[in-house]
Amino acid sequence: MANAFAAYLSEHHTDLDDYLLSFFTGKTEHADLERYLYAPLRTFTENGGKRHRPLICLAACKAVGGDPARARSAAAAIEHFQSAALIHDDIADHGQLRRGKPCLYLTEGTGLAINCGDLDLTLVTDAVLNDPALDNATRVRVLRELTAMTERTIEGQALDLGWVRDGRFNLTIEDYLRMATLKTAHYSGAVPLACGAIIGGGSEEQIAALRSFGMDTGLAFQIQDDLINIVGSDHAKDWRTDITEGKRTLVAVRALADERFHDELETILSSGTSASADLDRAVWIFQETGAIEFARSYAADLTARAKQALAGIELDAESRALFLDMADFFIERLS
């Protein structure tokens, strides 16, 4: 397991958390607004993940010779988007737990949870728009990045949800890759890195290379997340819920292409089952069809290609090493 990137996340997590919480602290003297909006969002934000998306934004700024502190608002914007997406996703997917705690819509009600997510979405632009550290040209360019990121992610979510609603199982590997690239790769890798490089004053070549690196590692991250859900330990987050929810993961799409098991697997994925025997059977089919190994290999190939994107590009040496370690970290989380 690569350790340098994990150490970076741990080292810089606290300072970023304090900044993120400032968006929900001391915003109102009205007790009901605090109770129904700012307090729930503060609690949700406190229960954050590893914060890799905002932290790689800061790292990209440093990598091209900039001051990472100038990228804080863009980093926060990306994390606010992540929070909004998770709050809304949990409602759409009927999730139960988020990072080990009941989903926001279960504790606050669906209406208030949607409203909380909506405020987080407004902060995606507001955080950057009101940042005095950024000149107008940089501010506009970053906002264009964030707006495009939001649109692409929503497009990916539309495919993901629509396939489930309409019972679509006639999907190709290319269909999955298009959906996952839209839904995850832009906001989990490409845009955070591009924004950081833009704010840091990077060249167009540096920005393009970091965007390409982020696109491939972001997609690899999603594929590995899908694998963790299926074959991680039963202590992993949302273990095997992708089967219960009928998610069209790369593993599922690959396995469904095998005519020997297509009908049986479609029945399991359509049933909404959480019975251990059914989940075990689905995982056995994934293994028997070679779908799990196919997904592992695909993620590894993406990582190798991502590393090549940085070859020959001028970057701060420490940051380059961090990004290469990040690529390995994203696909070694099952090790």
Side-chain angles (χ1 to χ4, degrees), residues 246-262:
K247 290 286 188 180
R248 278 58 164 176
T249 62
L250 182 60
V251 173
V253 170
R254 174 74 173 189
L256 284 163
D258 191 319
E259 293 183 358
R260 295 174 300 163
F261 301 104
H262 179 279

Side-chain angles (χ1 to χ4, degrees), residues 319-330:
S319 301
R320 179 189 298 277
L322 179 70
F323 289 140
L324 295 179
D325 194 75
M326 162 188 148
D328 292 331
F329 176 81
F330 278 3

Side-chain angles (χ1 to χ4, degrees), residues 8-17 48-51 55:
Y8 168 78
L9 296 180
S10 178
E11 179 182 352
H12 296 277
H13 197 289
T14 301
D15 288 344
L16 181 62
D17 280 358
K50 293 182 175 65
R51 311 282 198 215
L55 287 171

Side-chain angles (χ1 to χ4, degrees), residues 18-294:
D18 291 343
Y19 179 61
L20 289 169
L21 289 174
S22 72
F23 287 86
F24 310 115
T25 302
K27 294 299 181 181
T28 182
E29 295 180 357
H30 194 291
D32 284 348
L33 273 177
E34 175 69 11
R35 167 66 188 89
Y36 299 134
L37 182 62
Y38 294 106
L41 273 171
R42 188 165 58 249
T43 299
F44 186 88
T45 302
E46 284 174 333
N47 186 35
K50 293 182 175 65
R51 311 282 198 215
H52 92 257
R53 295 166 184 84
L55 287 171
I56 63 174
C57 179
L58 302 181
C61 185
K62 179 177 183 292
V64 299
D67 177 5
R70 294 187 69 244
R72 280 207 317 173
S73 64
I78 290 161
E79 186 66 12
H80 290 316
F81 178 79
Q82 159 80 344
S83 293
L86 294 180
I87 291 168
H88 290 162
D89 278 3
D90 287 340
I91 297 168
D93 296 339
H94 308 291
Q96 299 299 304
L97 294 176
R98 173 60 63 186
R99 297 166 181 155
K101 294 186 178 181
C103 295
L104 192 65
Y105 80 96
L106 294 177
T107 59
E108 304 300 326
T110 300
L112 285 175
I114 291 172
N115 201 54
C116 285
D118 289 346
L119 179 60
D120 257 329
L121 281 177
T122 69
L123 293 174
V124 175
T125 53
D126 190 68
V128 173
L129 193 63
N130 293 311
D131 184 355
L134 302 179
D135 60 83
N136 286 339
T138 301
R139 192 181 293 123
V140 169
R141 186 169 181 184
V142 170
L143 287 173
R144 284 178 177 156
E145 290 282 344
L146 295 172
T147 300
M149 173 196 76
T150 301
E151 185 177 352
R152 296 290 86 78
T153 308
I154 291 171
E155 288 176 343
Q157 178 75 334
L159 293 175
D160 198 20
L161 293 173
W163 291 340
V164 173
R165 188 198 70 179
D166 291 347
R168 290 278 304 281
F169 288 98
N170 58 333
L171 302 171
T172 65
I173 298 298
E174 290 71 25
D175 290 328
Y176 167 84
L177 294 174
R178 183 179 300 109
M179 179 276 293
T181 297
L182 289 169
K183 182 178 176 179
T184 302
H186 288 278
Y187 94 91
S188 289
V191 173
L193 292 172
C195 284
I198 290 167
I199 293 168
S203 68
E204 294 304 317
E205 184 182 31
Q206 289 173 317
I207 295 167
L210 285 166
R211 187 192 305 278
S212 177
F213 173 83
M215 193 71 78
D216 284 337
T217 54
L219 184 54
F221 178 86
Q222 180 61 60
I223 293 170
Q224 194 72 350
D225 241 24
D226 295 343
L227 285 167
I228 290 171
N229 186 282
I230 295 167
V231 296
S233 76
D234 56 4
H235 300 296
K237 65 175 184 177
D238 304 326
W239 190 54
R240 296 187 173 176
T241 55
D242 282 354
I243 300 171
T244 301
E245 294 170 8
K247 290 286 188 180
R248 278 58 164 176
T249 62
L250 182 60
V251 173
V253 170
R254 174 74 173 189
L256 284 163
D258 191 319
E259 293 183 358
R260 295 174 300 163
F261 301 104
H262 179 279
D263 292 349
E264 181 183 2
L265 183 56
E266 180 176 331
T267 297
I268 294 172
L269 293 173
S270 301
S271 68
T273 181
S274 57
S276 295
D278 292 331
L279 301 181
D280 288 345
R281 178 63 179 176
V283 173
W284 182 87
I285 292 172
F286 294 154
Q287 293 169 333
E288 186 67 14
T289 57
I292 289 174
E293 185 53 41
F294 173 81

